[in-house]
Amino acid sequence: MAHHCSRLVTVGAITVLALSGCTSDGGDGGASGAPPTIQALDTIGEGEGEVNILAWAGYAEDGSTDPAVDWVTPFEQQTGCQANVQVADTSDSMFEKMGTGDFDVVSASGDSSLRMIYAGKVAPVNTDLFTHYLEVPEFQRLQAWNSVDGVPYGMPHGWGAQLMAYRSDVVTPAPTSWDVVFDPSSPYSGKITDYDSPTDGIAAAAVYLMSTQPDLGIENPYALDQDQFDAAVELLKAQQPHVGSYWASYTDAQKALENGSTVVGSTWQIIVNLAQADAAPVASVLPDEGATGWADTWMVDAKSPHPNCAYEWINWVTSPEVQAQVAEWFGEAPANVKACGLTTEPTHCDTYHADDADFFSKIWFWTTPQSTCLDGRTDVKCVPYAEWGKAWSEVKNG
């Protein structure tokens, strides 16, 4: 790790010890120094009239997908901020589009949020200005993917496990292990699917290896030394000939399950929900080995042209009323647990373990790999994100 030099940073009313004047491995998440110094908003002033939102599908619905699903229009009516929404398919595209001033806020997942922080693409936030920050359980705040050295970089939105979907009319008996996805002798060769993400893809293999090859000593699937990393990549290369598709768009994954070109593989709950709504024989399971998962954070662009409307949007979309709608529509645990009393399905938050710190602790949430090992080891270097991206390309290309 680089030599650390300390400084005091004031974020709103919070003064914290941070790091400065240190070297970094660059803006790809392989950082061992500190993010650039960027000022957080002091107060929310008058709205600028619009806000540019970069979000996952289902997070900023305006009624165009389903007339009954609209939490953008009432936001515009209440705040006077016109919401311009662009849907992103991948975390890499979110990373590329942020930091330019083209957007004000992004619903970043953990496989891009830390990269954005170290690249100076997003600003620290003043949580005193977030109306609902203290309604989010403490176990979700100041995590590795949404903070650095005690400085918060966003407002938690929602989370969930990266589940395994399967066609219940084909995959029998019902699977309980990732072996039907990773074992080269899987009877479902050619109809297996993986999520197209370097972070999730390699970490998912590492989670499987934690259980099946404990001698590797993997303790955190995002903290892999060279030997551990090589083992995960070899597993994926052996799997590659049996993978029918690597999905990025959730609608593509849904269609593949519905038409049977995919019968088993990585999924999001929204994909399963939509396939089941179309009467497809699709089910999902959290396998015995555990799983990766995503925890999404609303972050503010470092060059946001509409910071007041940006904070207004974050306060709106993380209110209990809107969180209840988003969580049910998307299929996730709301970060704001006050939403649990407002969901149409009274057991929604129980199903998604929204206020279950123990369940939360069992999911390996996407976190950008860094050369400084996230598991605390100091006697070795871990493989940083840039190398994960290269290896993932090699895996997919056979």
Side-chain angles (χ1 to χ4, degrees):
M1 180 182 280
H3 175 66
H4 281 168
C5 327
S6 60
R7 63 183 167 86
L8 288 177
V9 179
T10 300
V11 181
I14 308 166
T15 302
V16 297
L17 184 67
L19 306 168
S20 70
C22 308
T23 60
S24 164
D25 295 340
D28 62 4
S32 58
T37 303
I38 301 169
Q39 192 63 41
L41 198 66
D42 286 330
T43 58
I44 300 178
E46 185 176 348
E48 301 88 354
E50 64 179 328
V51 60
N52 300 322
I53 301 166
L54 184 62
W56 293 115
Y59 276 8
E61 291 293 310
D62 62 1
S64 57
T65 306
D66 181 332
V69 180
D70 182 0
W71 42 88
V72 166
T73 304
F75 162 77
E76 294 173 330
Q77 293 168 342
Q78 181 166 313
T79 65
C81 300
Q82 174 71 34
N84 308 308
V85 180
Q86 186 175 127
V87 172
D89 274 343
T90 68
S91 287
D92 282 346
S93 70
M94 285 184 172
F95 178 80
E96 292 301 326
K97 291 175 180 178
M98 289 297 287
T100 62
D102 290 342
F103 293 94
D104 298 292
V105 291
V106 61
S107 62
S109 295
D111 56 342
S112 67
S113 52
L114 206 59
R115 281 190 282 158
M116 292 183 191
I117 292 169
Y118 276 101
K121 288 173 175 274
V122 291
V125 294
N126 182 351
T127 57
D128 289 348
L129 303 181
F130 290 151
T131 314
H132 308 286
Y133 190 69
L134 297 181
E135 294 165 7
V136 174
E138 194 170 345
F139 64 80
Q140 295 183 49
R141 294 183 244 146
L142 297 178
Q143 290 292 331
W145 54 86
N146 59 24
S147 68
V148 173
D149 296 308
V151 178
Y153 278 82
M155 173 71 176
H157 167 86
W159 57 275
Q162 196 81 358
L163 302 170
M164 182 166 69
Y166 62 96
R167 286 277 303 216
S168 55
D169 58 337
V170 177
V171 182
T172 57
T176 59
S177 167
W178 286 110
D179 58 6
V180 292
V181 168
F182 286 116
D183 192 323
S185 65
S186 170
Y188 310 110
S189 178
K191 296 193 173 184
I192 294 168
T193 190
D194 280 342
Y195 180 50
D196 189 357
S197 156
T199 306
D200 184 73
I202 296 172
V207 169
Y208 182 67
L209 291 174
M210 288 169 76
S211 177
T212 57
Q213 294 187 36
D215 289 351
L216 286 168
I218 299 172
E219 299 204 358
N220 180 323
Y222 307 102
L224 304 178
D225 61 36
Q226 195 64 54
D227 289 343
Q228 295 166 340
F229 181 80
D230 290 346
V233 171
E234 285 307 309
L235 176 64
L236 291 165
K237 285 183 175 178
Q239 179 207 36
Q240 192 272 346
H242 308 282
V243 175
S245 64
Y246 295 93
W247 65 273
S249 164
Y250 81 104
T251 53
D252 290 344
Q254 175 196 344
K255 288 172 190 169
L257 280 166
E258 291 187 5
N259 66 31
S261 58
T262 288
V263 299
V264 68
S266 180
T267 196
W268 297 338
Q269 189 65 49
I270 188 174
I271 296 166
V272 177
N273 291 351
L274 292 170
Q276 290 175 343
D278 287 343
V282 174
S284 63
V285 64
L286 181 65
D288 293 340
E289 298 90 355
T292 55
W294 39 269
D296 293 341
T297 303
W298 286 105
M299 308 180 90
V300 179
D301 194 291
K303 297 178 180 176
S304 166
H306 315 108
N308 297 307
C309 279
Y311 271 70
E312 293 277 17
W313 168 257
I314 291 173
N315 282 335
W316 174 264
V317 78
T318 58
S319 66
E321 297 78 11
V322 178
Q323 283 264 290
Q325 296 175 66
V326 180
E328 287 198 279
W329 174 250
F330 189 83
E332 66 183 357
N336 187 338
V337 292
K338 281 198 170 182
C340 295
L342 302 174
T343 52
T344 308
E345 171 52 60
T347 61
H348 178 88
C349 283
D350 294 333
T351 301
Y352 288 89
H353 305 273
D355 202 11
D356 187 341
D358 185 56
F359 182 87
F360 188 90
S361 70
K362 291 175 181 174
I363 299 172
W364 293 103
F365 289 102
W366 296 346
T367 308
T368 306
Q370 301 180 68
S371 54
T372 302
C373 297
L374 296 168
D375 60 6
R377 285 181 292 168
T378 56
D379 57 333
V380 293
K381 284 281 189 185
C382 280
V383 179
Y385 178 79
E387 297 304 314
W388 288 50
K390 291 175 192 170
W392 185 246
S393 294
E394 290 173 8
V395 165
K396 289 197 302 173
N397 294 327

